[in-house]
Amino acid sequence: MAPKLKDQFNQAWLAGWLNRLHDTFPKIDKQKADQCLQMSELIDQSLLARIQTISQISINLLGSFYKSEQIAQGLVDLAPDFEGLQGLVLTQMVTDLGLADAGLAFRVLGGLTQYSSAEFAIRDWIEREPQLTMNQMQAWSHSENHHLRRLASEGCRPRLPWGKALNQFKQDPTPILPILQNLIHDPSLYVRKSVANNLNDIGKDHPEVLLTFCQAWLGSSKEADWIIKHAIRNFLKQRDARFLALLSLPKTEHIDLVNWHSDAQVKLGEALHYAFELQADKTLGRLRIELQVDYPRPSGAPLRKVFKLAEADYAVAYKKISKHLSFKPLSTRVYYPGQHTLQLVLNGEIKHQAWFEVVA
């Protein structure tokens, strides 16, 4: 089994953290620090709870020895040694310190996000000082640094995973749109993914806002088209006619499905194999090929998942596809025995349907 993310914060990491914290803030009582921060306190905590506990204990150790400006600079100095997930301890400390000076907080978060991410910490400021913070996000969206541009988008996502929801933007996403417009042609894939995810969040509450945004920017650049295609992915999987129309996908009457085969039965833990062929008189043309699967659930309502198999403009008249569908247990999905449904979808149209049985 793969190690859990929270296990990065183990006893060896804590020892290294305390050493670096003491190097940066030498007035800390090292003996007291060793006593305060023990793995036994964290062992049963979740990832975010561990980060919060480490932050609180570290702030308590700093006590009143240092002024806010000194602490802020010290956190920025520590950032290169604690990249990625580990750097969230530093951004959490900015949140827990409650720096009253917004300008100072923004400078620190802007420095820290270049080694980790300040997307969680900035949300507290959006709630406390929405106009001031969104002005800062606007400024970051024009930065030459792609980490800061990404923070401008990721930090104001209405439904950021692991982060608190921004209810004001779930109700009215209008303040976010100028930032996303600034980033719609961004050359960085890191930034474009964030913009697409932000738009996807908006679409969950306001599909009409997402649709209008996409209609305005589709075709303006290859970067914008990439963002829009990823932003509307859920609506494409749902075969929503409004969003399928954005892609101008052609009808598929000229395509014949031949030689479909799928296993009639598969055991839990194994894989279902399926294959089919597509043929046309001339060329297949533009195709978005998906497999829709209905998984039975004890509640009676099936879980529907859509898998994109291929998408291209085919200048050929024939294509064969052979794939498998895994039923190996996952931490994110539980499989149940019973009848399942397969549907082959071409450009949003159901082309074929089949059934198979999953057995224990």
Side-chain angles (χ1 to χ4, degrees):
M1 181 181 295
K4 297 178 180 179
L5 289 175
K6 69 177 185 179
D7 291 338
Q8 291 187 36
F9 298 97
N10 52 31
Q11 194 64 58
W13 186 91
L14 293 175
W17 166 255
L18 286 176
N19 286 333
R20 288 294 291 115
L21 196 66
H22 183 260
D23 291 342
T24 306
F25 302 104
K27 293 180 182 178
I28 286 177
D29 186 326
K30 186 66 165 59
Q31 186 175 2
K32 180 181 177 182
D34 290 335
Q35 294 171 350
C36 286
L37 201 52
Q38 297 295 326
M39 194 64 208
S40 58
E41 293 185 45
L42 307 177
I43 200 70
D44 295 324
Q45 294 186 353
S46 66
L47 170 63
L48 294 183
R50 287 190 184 194
I51 290 171
Q52 291 164 356
T53 298
I54 295 168
S55 168
Q56 289 288 353
I57 291 175
S58 300
I59 290 172
N60 290 339
L61 289 170
L62 292 173
S64 58
F65 296 124
Y66 297 93
K67 295 180 180 179
S68 294
E69 293 80 1
Q70 294 173 302
I71 296 176
Q73 185 57 54
L75 296 180
V76 173
D77 293 342
L78 284 166
D81 293 337
F82 298 95
E83 297 183 306
L85 188 67
Q86 299 172 4
L88 295 183
V89 171
L90 297 171
T91 58
Q92 183 66 43
M93 287 180 69
V94 177
T95 297
D96 293 339
L97 281 165
L99 297 177
D101 182 347
L104 178 61
F106 295 156
R107 288 198 300 275
V108 177
L109 293 177
L112 297 181
T113 204
Q114 299 180 49
Y115 298 93
S116 178
S117 178
E119 65 205 56
F120 302 110
I122 198 65
R123 299 170 85 79
D124 290 288
W125 278 100
I126 291 175
E127 290 187 333
R128 288 165 55 185
E129 296 281 355
Q131 190 58 57
L132 183 67
T133 308
M134 292 305 283
N135 288 344
Q136 177 63 63
M137 305 277 264
Q138 277 272 14
W140 281 333
S141 72
H142 293 290
S143 173
E144 294 183 358
N145 187 297
H146 70 281
H147 291 285
L148 292 174
R149 298 198 307 274
R150 193 254 185 186
L151 176 59
S153 168
E154 196 72 7
C156 63
R157 282 180 60 181
R159 295 169 171 266
L160 180 68
W162 292 7
K164 64 173 72 173
L166 294 175
N167 291 322
Q168 67 268 46
F169 294 155
K170 288 172 65 176
Q171 295 172 9
D172 177 15
T174 304
I176 302 175
L177 300 181
I179 291 174
L180 303 186
Q181 291 168 1
N182 292 343
L183 301 171
I184 194 67
H185 307 302
D186 204 280
S188 167
L189 179 61
Y190 185 49
V191 177
R192 293 200 302 273
K193 284 182 177 179
S194 176
V195 176
N197 287 333
N198 196 321
L199 287 167
N200 180 264
D201 282 2
I202 291 172
K204 291 175 181 177
D205 298 300
H206 300 278
E208 72 288 348
V209 173
L210 173 61
L211 183 62
T212 300
F213 186 97
C214 293
Q215 290 169 334
W217 292 99
L218 185 65
S220 60
S221 70
K222 68 180 189 302
E223 292 83 6
D225 289 352
W226 187 96
I227 288 171
I228 289 168
K229 196 170 183 181
H230 283 73
I232 65 175
R233 59 189 182 272
N234 289 337
F235 290 99
L236 296 178
K237 290 180 178 181
Q238 295 163 12
R239 309 201 310 278
D240 189 304
R242 299 168 299 173
F243 291 90
L244 285 167
L246 283 173
L247 302 185
S248 301
L249 295 172
K251 297 293 185 180
T252 60
E253 293 94 339
H254 66 295
I255 298 175
D256 292 320
L257 173 69
V258 296
N259 297 328
W260 171 275
H261 169 77
S262 57
D263 297 336
Q265 189 179 87
V266 61
K267 292 181 179 179
L268 285 172
E270 298 183 357
L272 175 97
H273 296 86
Y274 63 96
F276 58 91
E277 300 167 35
L278 301 174
Q279 61 182 29
D281 290 337
K282 294 183 179 180
T283 61
L284 294 171
R286 287 184 60 203
L287 274 182
R288 179 182 175 90
I289 308 171
E290 297 169 304
L291 186 75
Q292 183 170 286
V293 186
D294 285 346
Y295 297 90
R297 285 291 180 267
S299 64
L303 170 68
R304 174 164 290 179
K305 299 292 289 184
V306 179
F307 304 93
K308 188 169 78 170
L309 306 182
E311 184 170 3
D313 192 345
Y314 295 103
V316 296
Y318 171 86
K319 181 172 180 62
K320 181 177 181 179
I321 291 180
S322 178
K323 290 186 175 290
H324 69 273
L325 188 65
S326 175
F327 282 85
K328 185 177 180 179
L330 300 172
S331 60
T332 55
R333 190 180 306 158
V334 178
Y335 299 109
Y336 298 93
Q339 181 175 276
H340 291 54
T341 305
L342 283 178
Q343 291 179 322
L344 179 67
V345 181
L346 302 183
N347 290 357
E349 303 171 8
I350 296 176
K351 201 73 173 180
H352 183 74
Q353 183 164 277
W355 293 265
F356 63 95
E357 195 79 16
V358 174
V359 296

